Amino acid sequence: MTTKTISKKAFKEFVNAVIAAGKVVGVQAKGERFDFADLTSADDLRLDYDVTLQAPKKYFLPPCETLMTFDVGGGYQSHIADEPFVLLGVHPYDVVAIAQMDELFSQDNADVHYLKRRANATIVALDVVTASKNVFASSMKTATTRTGFDILLTDIGNAYVMEIATEKGRKLAAKATATVASADDLAKRENIWKANEKGLNKHALAVNPEYLGKLLDKAYDHPVWEEKAATCFSCGSCNLVCPTCYCFNVQDSVNWDLKTGRRGRAWDGCLLDGFAKVAGDHDFRKNRADRFRHRLYRKAKYVPAKIGGQIACVGCGRCVGACLPDIANPVAVYNRLVDDLGIG
Ligand code: SF4
Ligand code: SF4
């Protein structure tokens, strides 16, 4: 681990040098909002962004992809993306979400498509400069992170502190004109970490997130599921914007020659009608309230059981902004359960 300081002018030159060397994805303005997109100039990079419309998961698990093509009688061909890229400006809560996905996609039958993209990525993380209006990363303990990145940037005013954490990060940082970070720069970074650990909290969770699993043990038949789901459109937006939602549907399509075709996968979402439909037309979560409940159980109970207790909500707040009837906020639901069921 090496910690350097780079002036903002030198940082721009660094970014342009990285762009000249290969594919770079960075946060850019999209109207009044922000999103990750291919970066062609350091001038377009917006490291002061609040939150991106989409989570960076789309670079590891694309919304649609071809897994393989096949030819009846002629075998099949796997399609595995193999392009190195730099992902620039990932906020700590999204870094934590990516680390959770790494763990999940490595379990059981390791997902070679995800893992290959992940191995090709160099992640340059960025401490939050501007809090978004719905962020609650402080409540979820994801407002800062010390792991999961190759380089971490912290904006200290006239410069960035660069923490170089891996060999990939070291190779990338070799293009930068930076000096060893001074004690003063490190103290400024420490203050930013302290401020973010408290201040990225527009919705305050009433309990320690580790307690949520126990809370849900008592909440399966609580009326909140029916009450909230009464206005749910089953649009799936809360799933699609979420950095920790990773469900997908796999479908084969055969071409007109009836000999060749493709196997593709596309994002799916547990709030969508038909998500849990299986053979025989049996749908084991046909009711909207069941699907609404499943999402909140998945975040704080089912996924944590697979990844050592980590809560699969990192507090990015995207679902809060994406939900038209304003029912998707996990904090609102969990706090209601705390009020009604207590923490004992
Ligand atoms: S549940 Fe909502 S706030 Fe939590 S990680 Fe997903 S989109 Fe972000
Ligand atoms: S975004 Fe809101 S309305 Fe749409 S499925 Fe999610 S909870 Fe329901």
Side-chain angles (χ1 to χ4, degrees):
M1 193 96 78
T2 321
T3 312
K4 295 195 168 178
T5 301
I6 182 167
S7 72
K8 291 209 165 160
K9 183 171 174 290
F11 183 76
K12 265 197 171 183
E13 290 161 7
F14 164 63
V15 171
N16 282 328
V18 176
I19 291 169
K23 178 173 167 151
V24 180
V25 170
V27 180
Q28 294 162 67
K30 198 169 184 178
E32 292 186 347
R33 303 185 69 186
F34 300 95
D35 213 357
F36 286 96
D38 287 1
L39 190 68
T40 53
S41 164
D43 291 335
D44 297 332
L45 187 64
R46 288 292 299 273
L47 296 186
D48 60 339
Y49 76 98
D50 53 1
V51 65
T52 54
L53 291 162
Q54 285 283 342
K57 73 175 179 187
K58 64 183 177 179
Y59 293 101
F60 307 116
L61 181 69
C64 298
E65 69 176 314
T66 298
L67 300 176
M68 66 170 189
T69 45
F70 54 82
D71 183 349
V72 176
Y76 66 90
Q77 176 75 48
S78 288
H79 293 255
I80 297 178
D82 194 12
E83 186 187 16
F85 64 102
V86 175
L87 191 54
L88 189 46
V90 185
H91 279 166
Y93 49 78
D94 278 334
V95 171
V96 173
I98 292 168
Q100 291 186 1
M101 300 262 267
D102 291 351
E103 221 171 311
L104 289 156
F105 278 94
S106 304
Q107 288 178 0
D108 307 323
N109 296 315
D111 190 309
V112 290
H113 301 271
Y114 175 93
L115 293 173
K116 188 68 183 179
R117 286 194 180 90
R118 187 63 188 82
N120 270 319
T122 301
I123 294 184
V124 180
L126 167 80
D127 279 311
V128 177
V129 174
T130 311
S132 71
K133 68 177 182 186
N134 286 312
V135 68
F136 55 95
S138 303
S139 277
M140 305 314 290
K141 303 184 179 175
T142 58
T144 60
T145 184
R146 308 293 188 269
T147 57
F149 51 80
D150 297 295
I151 294 176
L152 170 68
L153 300 171
T154 311
D155 186 335
I156 55 165
N158 57 346
Y160 293 103
V161 172
M162 278 177 114
E163 179 118 357
I164 301 152
T166 64
E167 183 55 24
K168 272 198 243 178
R170 195 192 59 72
K171 278 191 185 147
L172 195 70
K175 294 182 174 39
T177 307
T179 53
V180 174
S182 67
D184 188 40
D185 293 343
L186 293 180
K188 283 182 188 161
R189 182 176 71 165
E190 194 64 41
N191 287 338
I192 288 164
W193 283 347
K194 277 187 190 150
N196 282 354
E197 278 160 12
K198 278 196 174 160
L200 303 182
N201 214 27
K202 301 296 169 74
H203 307 277
L205 186 67
V207 288
N208 193 316
E210 283 88 58
Y211 178 72
L212 292 174
K214 278 191 184 149
L215 180 69
L216 291 179
D217 282 341
K218 305 184 284 184
Y220 201 77
D221 296 316
H222 193 277
V224 72
W225 314 119
E226 288 286 352
E227 283 169 27
K228 292 273 183 189
T231 54
C232 175
F233 297 129
S234 298
C235 65
S237 301
C238 50
N239 296 131
L240 299 183
V241 298
C242 181
T244 69
C245 279
Y246 57 85
C247 289
F248 56 81
N249 193 24
V250 175
Q251 201 160 24
D252 289 352
S253 34
V254 179
N255 295 329
W256 284 108
D257 61 9
L258 299 182
K259 289 182 181 158
T260 58
R262 72 182 275 275
R263 173 167 294 171
R265 72 170 160 191
W267 287 359
D268 206 344
C270 59
L271 268 290
L272 295 170
D273 189 19
F275 174 81
K277 193 180 271 187
V278 292
D281 220 23
H282 178 64
D283 191 341
F284 53 90
R285 279 199 294 276
K286 195 163 179 50
N287 186 313
R288 268 181 306 176
D290 291 347
R291 297 197 296 275
F292 187 90
R293 175 176 58 197
H294 177 78
R295 171 174 168 259
L296 277 299
Y297 268 69
R298 189 182 166 282
K299 302 276 166 221
K301 194 158 177 64
Y302 306 148
V303 174
K306 289 168 76 79
I307 53 171
Q310 297 174 73
I311 304 296
C313 168
V314 293
C316 69
R318 289 184 179 96
C319 60
V320 185
C323 179
L324 286 177
D326 192 19
I327 53 171
N329 185 347
V331 172
V333 177
Y334 295 138
N335 283 358
R336 163 80 184 280
L337 294 174
V338 171
D339 283 348
D340 288 0
L341 303 173
I343 55 169

